[in-house]
Coordinates of all heavy atoms in Angstrom, one line a residue:
F162 N -143.7 -114.6 1.4 CA -144.3 -114.9 2.7 C -144.0 -116.2 3.2 O -143.8 -117.2 2.4 CB -145.9 -114.8 2.5 CG -146.4 -113.4 2.4 CD1 -146.5 -112.7 1.2 CD2 -146.7 -112.7 3.6 CE1 -147.0 -111.4 1.1 CE2 -147.2 -111.4 3.5 CZ -147.4 -110.7 2.3
A163 N -143.8 -116.3 4.5 CA -143.5 -117.6 5.2 C -144.8 -118.3 5.5 O -145.9 -117.8 5.5 CB -142.7 -117.3 6.5
I164 N -144.6 -119.6 5.7 CA -145.7 -120.5 6.1 C -145.3 -121.2 7.4 O -144.1 -121.3 7.7 CB -146.1 -121.5 5.0 CG1 -145.0 -122.5 4.8 CG2 -146.6 -120.8 3.8 CD1 -145.4 -123.7 3.9
L165 N -146.2 -121.7 8.1 CA -145.9 -122.4 9.3 C -147.0 -123.5 9.6 O -147.7 -123.4 10.6 CB -145.8 -121.5 10.5 CG -145.1 -122.0 11.8 CD1 -143.6 -122.3 11.5 CD2 -145.2 -121.0 12.9
D166 N -147.1 -124.5 8.7 CA -148.0 -125.6 9.0 C -147.3 -126.6 9.9 O -146.2 -126.4 10.3 CB -148.6 -126.1 7.7 CG -147.5 -126.9 6.9 OD1 -146.4 -127.0 7.3 OD2 -147.9 -127.4 5.8
G167 N -148.0 -127.7 10.1 CA -147.5 -128.8 11.0 C -146.2 -129.3 10.5 O -145.3 -129.6 11.3
N168 N -146.0 -129.6 9.2 CA -144.8 -130.1 8.7 C -143.6 -129.1 8.8 O -142.5 -129.5 9.2 CB -145.0 -130.4 7.2 CG -145.8 -131.7 6.9 OD1 -145.6 -132.7 7.6 ND2 -146.7 -131.6 6.0
V169 N -143.9 -127.9 8.6 CA -142.8 -126.9 8.7 C -142.4 -126.7 10.2 O -141.2 -126.6 10.5 CB -143.3 -125.5 8.2 CG1 -142.2 -124.4 8.4 CG2 -143.6 -125.6 6.7
K170 N -143.4 -126.7 11.1 CA -143.1 -126.6 12.5 C -142.1 -127.8 12.9 O -141.2 -127.6 13.7 CB -144.3 -126.7 13.4 CG -145.2 -125.4 13.3 CD -146.4 -125.5 14.2 CE -147.2 -124.3 14.2 NZ -148.4 -124.4 15.0
R171 N -142.4 -129.0 12.5 CA -141.6 -130.1 12.8 C -140.2 -130.0 12.3 O -139.2 -130.3 13.1 CB -142.3 -131.4 12.3 CG -141.5 -132.7 12.6 CD -142.3 -133.9 12.4 NE -142.7 -134.1 11.0 CZ -143.9 -133.9 10.5 NH1 -144.9 -133.5 11.3 NH2 -144.2 -134.0 9.2
V172 N -140.0 -129.6 11.1 CA -138.7 -129.4 10.5 C -137.9 -128.4 11.3 O -136.7 -128.6 11.7 CB -138.8 -129.1 9.0 CG1 -137.4 -128.8 8.5 CG2 -139.4 -130.3 8.2
L173 N -138.5 -127.2 11.5 CA -137.8 -126.1 12.2 C -137.5 -126.5 13.6 O -136.4 -126.1 14.1 CB -138.7 -124.9 12.2 CG -139.0 -124.3 10.8 CD1 -139.8 -123.0 10.9 CD2 -137.6 -124.0 10.0
C174 N -138.4 -127.2 14.3 CA -138.1 -127.6 15.7 C -136.9 -128.5 15.8 O -136.0 -128.4 16.6 CB -139.3 -128.3 16.3 SG -140.6 -127.2 16.8
R175 N -136.8 -129.4 14.8 CA -135.7 -130.4 14.8 C -134.4 -129.7 14.4 O -133.3 -129.8 15.0 CB -136.0 -131.5 13.9 CG -137.0 -132.5 14.5 CD -137.4 -133.6 13.5 NE -138.2 -134.6 14.1 CZ -138.9 -135.5 13.5 NH1 -138.9 -135.6 12.2 NH2 -139.7 -136.4 14.1
V176 N -134.4 -129.0 13.3 CA -133.2 -128.3 12.8 C -132.6 -127.3 13.7 O -131.4 -127.3 14.0 CB -133.4 -127.7 11.4 CG1 -132.2 -126.9 10.9 CG2 -133.8 -128.7 10.3
H177 N -133.5 -126.6 14.4 CA -133.0 -125.5 15.3 C -133.1 -125.9 16.8 O -132.7 -125.1 17.6 CB -133.9 -124.2 15.0 CG -133.6 -123.6 13.7 ND1 -132.6 -122.8 13.4 CD2 -134.3 -123.8 12.5 CE1 -132.6 -122.4 12.1 NE2 -133.7 -123.0 11.6
G178 N -133.5 -127.1 17.0 CA -133.5 -127.5 18.4 C -134.5 -126.8 19.3 O -134.2 -126.5 20.5
V179 N -135.7 -126.4 18.8 CA -136.6 -125.6 19.5 C -137.4 -126.5 20.4 O -138.1 -127.5 20.0 CB -137.6 -124.9 18.5 CG1 -138.7 -124.1 19.3 CG2 -136.8 -123.9 17.6
E180 N -137.4 -126.2 21.7 CA -138.1 -126.9 22.7 C -139.5 -126.4 23.0 O -139.7 -125.2 22.7 CB -137.3 -126.9 24.1 CG -135.9 -127.4 24.0 CD -135.8 -129.0 24.1 OE1 -136.9 -129.6 24.2 OE2 -134.7 -129.5 24.0
G181 N -140.4 -127.2 23.5 CA -141.7 -126.8 23.8 C -142.7 -127.1 22.7 O -142.4 -127.3 21.6
W182 N -144.0 -127.3 23.2 CA -145.0 -127.6 22.2 C -145.2 -126.5 21.2 O -145.5 -125.4 21.6 CB -146.3 -127.9 23.0 CG -147.5 -128.2 22.1 CD1 -147.5 -129.1 21.1 CD2 -148.8 -127.6 22.1 NE1 -148.8 -129.1 20.5 CE2 -149.6 -128.2 21.1 CE3 -149.4 -126.6 22.9 CZ2 -150.9 -127.8 20.9 CZ3 -150.7 -126.2 22.7 CH2 -151.4 -126.8 21.7
P183 N -145.1 -126.8 19.9 CA -145.2 -125.8 18.8 C -146.5 -125.1 18.8 O -146.6 -124.0 18.2 CB -145.0 -126.6 17.5 CG -144.3 -127.8 17.9 CD -144.8 -128.2 19.3
G184 N -147.6 -125.6 19.4 CA -148.9 -125.0 19.4 C -149.0 -123.9 20.5 O -150.0 -123.1 20.4

Side-chain angles (χ1 to χ4, degrees):
F162 281 91
I164 65 169
L165 196 64
D166 69 0
N168 285 318
V169 177
K170 287 180 178 180
R171 181 167 59 255
V172 173
L173 295 183
C174 283
R175 285 174 174 167
V176 172
H177 293 276
V179 177
E180 302 277 359
W182 176 50

